[in-house]
Amino acid sequence: MHEPFLEIRNATVWRGDTPALKNFSLTLRHGESVAILGPNGAGKSTLLKVLTGEVRPEANPDTICRLFGEDLWSLEELRHRIGVVMPEDVARFHPEELAYDVVLSSLRGAFGRTRDMRFSRAEKAAADQAIARLGITALAQRDFGTLSSGERRRFLIARALVHDPSVLVLDEPSTALDFAASLSLVSALRELAVAGHTLVLVTHHPGEIPPEIDRAILLERGTVLADGPKRKVLSPRTLGGLFGLPLAVSWSGGWCTVKPA
Ligand SMILES: Nc1ncnc2c1ncn2[C@@H]1O[C@H](COP(=O)(O)OP(=O)(O)OP(=O)(O)O)[C@@H](O)[C@H]1O
């Protein structure tokens, strides 16, 4: 069994006055990509924020929260171990930022390059490599604001990969992408999974979980409703109960299709 990079036991996580995760337990391991699903407000983004060290559970004697085997961690160190792709990050860059610098500035934890930032040859090579992996080298000298939504999303993934993290976290990566851009994004994710990255994919769409991700975790009101092989978890009964709709689920080549029953 691979080492866990996230171990949470009996954790309650508050967001303002809301217990966004309640008595929550979950283990995620290197080498096992997962898809996390659940209705709006179920706690998916909160779970990702625990994983990226941005929020912590309430301190209780029986609560455990370990990231990469540590009870305490530095955000700087986590940044090297976890690549994070949040669609809202697109808006953090000036439209005239060079697409290449969107990727490169990740090495300084910055959202854009300033004049005084200097980068070594090795750092530039890491950016070139991440950009090449996403197939966007030809776009790297364009202004970020002139790229399509799908192209910008690819640059955000390259930005997340520039540290060569073992774990890549993606929060609803296909939001606002058209059909073709979503398909192309999913194929980029498949390549990353095949290349050995562990993906943590939050999605509202069972149909975009690639065959390379077998484990599905369903959240409901801050708790884990179901966790296991996706064919078991994404059943008409469980999904239908969660969303309050009669649903039909079919499978083909590791892909899931959900329709009204
Ligand atoms: N900054 C905040 N302040 C107060 N409450 C918050 C905050 N962030 C999240 N919450 C609340 O915590 C709960 C879980 O929110 P979270 O964003 O984790 O859900 P989610 O499953 O990611 O939802 P969605 O699918 O809508 O993105 C919700 O009830 C939400 O209103």
Side-chain angles (χ1 to χ4, degrees), residues 73-102:
W73 54 82
S74 84
L75 286 178
E76 172 68 19
E77 200 181 308
L78 279 181
R79 197 149 55 79
H80 286 83
R81 293 178 160 211
I82 304 181
V84 184
V85 182
M86 301 279 176
E88 64 266 27
D89 284 349
V90 166
R92 290 182 172 230
F93 294 94
H94 193 280
E96 288 176 10
E97 186 77 35
L98 207 59
Y100 183 73
D101 290 338
V102 167

Side-chain angles (χ1 to χ4, degrees), residues 214-246:
D214 186 47
R215 180 178 169 195
I217 299 163
L218 277 188
L219 300 190
E220 182 186 34
R221 280 183 258 127
T223 59
V224 176
L225 175 70
D227 177 2
K230 64 184 176 188
R231 267 179 173 263
K232 221 169 163 181
V233 167
L234 304 178
S235 68
R237 193 189 162 106
T238 312
L239 278 181
L242 184 59
F243 291 97
L245 289 170

Side-chain angles (χ1 to χ4, degrees), residues 15-18 20 38-46 172 204:
R15 310 291 308 281
D17 295 336
T18 309
N40 293 132
K44 303 177 299 294
S45 299
T46 300
E172 298 177 35
H204 283 293

Side-chain angles (χ1 to χ4, degrees), residues 116-129:
D116 55 339
M117 274 182 204
R118 297 272 177 266
F119 293 91
S120 67
R121 207 175 279 181
E123 287 176 320
K124 288 180 186 166
D128 287 338
Q129 201 182 356

